[in-house]
């Protein structure tokens, strides 16, 4: 899958010690804005786009229904598929009254985990801190991730502690755990303990063996950390995905069920890795409709 960086649709705004809201700028027809998650990103190793985690805000079409969703595009933790797994997904939710935030998280060997997790947690905290400004209910904040973004979403929902080292401000005092999570063909196999294959996390990103220890891989294998506190989760995968085997999603679903977590899994027979909302494959276009019904049943979309 060709990873593409998310296009910056508006000016950056610095996050201060207090919670703040972005003001839409740029093309008034699109009403998009981008906010920085930190005034100074913790551990920043530069000042380029790849060093500055942001949220691009897609307001809902019509009246907001109180639900917010953070979208994490995939890209093997090497890039971000900003159209297929970012903009298209944001538009789908926005047409249903959801306020959408597309996350540019730090990645690559320059920013290995837990840095992406820190950014994802900060995104949830930022929206909670600004819920009133965005007309969002603080307990209706979801997270959808694809491929590597799906792995990140699973780590986010199973992580009990806040990654240390972030700013001590009003945003940081909010809960970092989303209220529901959606995983599209999540890249669980990237953290297989054997670390073999082209998409294995440590060798593909050049992470040294001193960091990539068995304990490190275990920490970011989310199926091992599911508890009853893990949020409701929806999973979508294809059976013949040769890049990220479906078995990881099946195992994760079974672990959720054992913990008593509300969960739903849909596995389609055919479909290459990286299909987004379904693309050119008619059968796969059904999964967003299944997701919509799941969200309605969970109270995250109106009936």
């Amino acid at each position: 899958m060709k990873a593409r960086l998310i296009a910056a649709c508006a000016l950056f705004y610095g996050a201060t010690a207090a919670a703040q809201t972005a003001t839409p700028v740029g093309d008034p027809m699109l009403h998009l804005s981008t906010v920085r998650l930190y005034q100074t990103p913790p551990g920043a190793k530069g000042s380029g786009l790849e060093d500055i985690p942001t949220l691009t805000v897609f307001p809902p079409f019509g009246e907001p229904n109180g639900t917010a969703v953070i979208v994490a595009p995939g890209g093997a933790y090497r890039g971000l598929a900003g159209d297929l797994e970012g903009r298209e997904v944001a538009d789908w939710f926005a047409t249903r009254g959801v306020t959408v935030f597309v996350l540019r998280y730090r990645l690559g060997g320059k920013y290995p985990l837990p840095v992406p997790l820190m950014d994802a947690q900060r995104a949830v905290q930022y929206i909670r801190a600004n819920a009133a400004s965005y007309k969002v209910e603080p307990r209706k904040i979801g997270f959808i991730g694809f491929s590597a973004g799906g792995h990140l979403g699973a780590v986010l929902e199973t992580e009990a502690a806040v990654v240390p080292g972030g700013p001590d401000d009003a945003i940081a005092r909010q809960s970092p755990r989303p209220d529901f999570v959606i995983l599209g063909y999540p890249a669980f196999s990237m953290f297989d303990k054997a670390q073999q294959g082209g998409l294995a996390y440590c060798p593909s990103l050049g992470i040294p063996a001193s960091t990539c220890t068995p304990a490190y891989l275990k920490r970011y294998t989310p199926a091992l950390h599911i508890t009853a506190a893990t949020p409701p989760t929806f999973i979508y995968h294809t059976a013949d995905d040769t890049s990220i085997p479906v078995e990881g999603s099946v195992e994760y679903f079974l672990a959720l069920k054992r913990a008593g977590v509300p969960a739903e899994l849909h596995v389609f027979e055919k479909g290459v890795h990286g299909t987004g909302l379904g693309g050119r494959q008619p059968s796969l276009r059904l999964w967003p409709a299944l997701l919509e019904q799941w969200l309605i049943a969970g109270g995250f979309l109106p009936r």
Side-chain angles (χ1 to χ4, degrees), residues 18-45:
Q20 65 169 34
T21 301
T23 302
V25 298
D27 188 334
M29 179 182 67
L30 297 178
H31 301 291
L32 299 181
S33 62
T34 297
V35 295
R36 293 176 60 148
L37 288 177
Y38 316 91
Q39 187 172 20
T40 302
K45 298 179 180 179

Side-chain angles (χ1 to χ4, degrees), residues 12-241:
F12 288 159
Y13 291 79
T16 63
Q20 65 169 34
T21 301
T23 302
V25 298
D27 188 334
M29 179 182 67
L30 297 178
H31 301 291
L32 299 181
S33 62
T34 297
V35 295
R36 293 176 60 148
L37 288 177
Y38 316 91
Q39 187 172 20
T40 302
K45 298 179 180 179
S47 57
L49 287 176
E50 70 277 8
D51 303 294
I52 303 172
T54 62
L55 289 171
T56 297
V57 187
F58 288 71
F61 299 169
E63 286 297 314
N65 61 24
T67 295
V69 168
I70 299 165
V71 182
Y77 282 110
R78 290 178 287 193
L80 297 175
D83 289 337
L84 178 70
E85 297 167 356
R87 177 181 289 276
E88 293 180 16
V89 178
D91 285 343
W92 186 89
F93 277 103
T95 61
R96 288 155 177 81
V98 176
T99 305
V100 190
F101 302 80
V102 179
L103 172 65
R104 181 198 295 275
Y105 53 96
R106 289 173 288 178
L107 36 71
K110 189 176 183 181
Y111 295 111
L113 284 159
V115 176
L117 174 60
M118 172 186 282
D119 295 343
Q121 289 183 331
R122 179 75 173 183
V124 177
Q125 292 173 321
Y126 170 82
I127 297 168
R128 281 219 170 91
N130 290 282
S133 297
Y134 287 113
K135 298 182 179 179
V136 166
E137 296 185 33
R139 295 303 166 195
K140 288 188 177 182
I141 298 173
F143 190 99
I144 179 170
F146 296 84
S147 193
H151 171 266
L152 179 60
V155 174
L156 175 66
E157 73 170 344
T158 57
E159 177 61 47
V162 176
V163 176
D168 182 13
D169 56 15
I171 294 173
R173 298 184 186 98
Q174 301 293 324
S175 169
R177 183 171 279 181
D179 300 299
F180 63 93
V181 171
I182 303 155
L183 308 177
Y185 39 90
F188 294 136
S189 62
M190 290 187 72
F191 284 80
D192 182 275
K193 60 183 178 181
Q195 285 295 276
Q196 296 178 349
L199 289 180
Y201 183 75
C202 292
S204 67
L205 300 184
I207 297 173
S210 58
T211 297
C212 190
T213 62
Y216 180 85
L217 294 173
K218 182 178 179 180
R219 179 182 177 188
Y220 300 116
T221 301
L224 301 177
H225 307 291
I226 292 170
T227 69
T230 301
T233 304
F234 181 100
I235 310 170
Y236 150 66
H237 216 125
T238 55
D240 63 349
D241 187 334

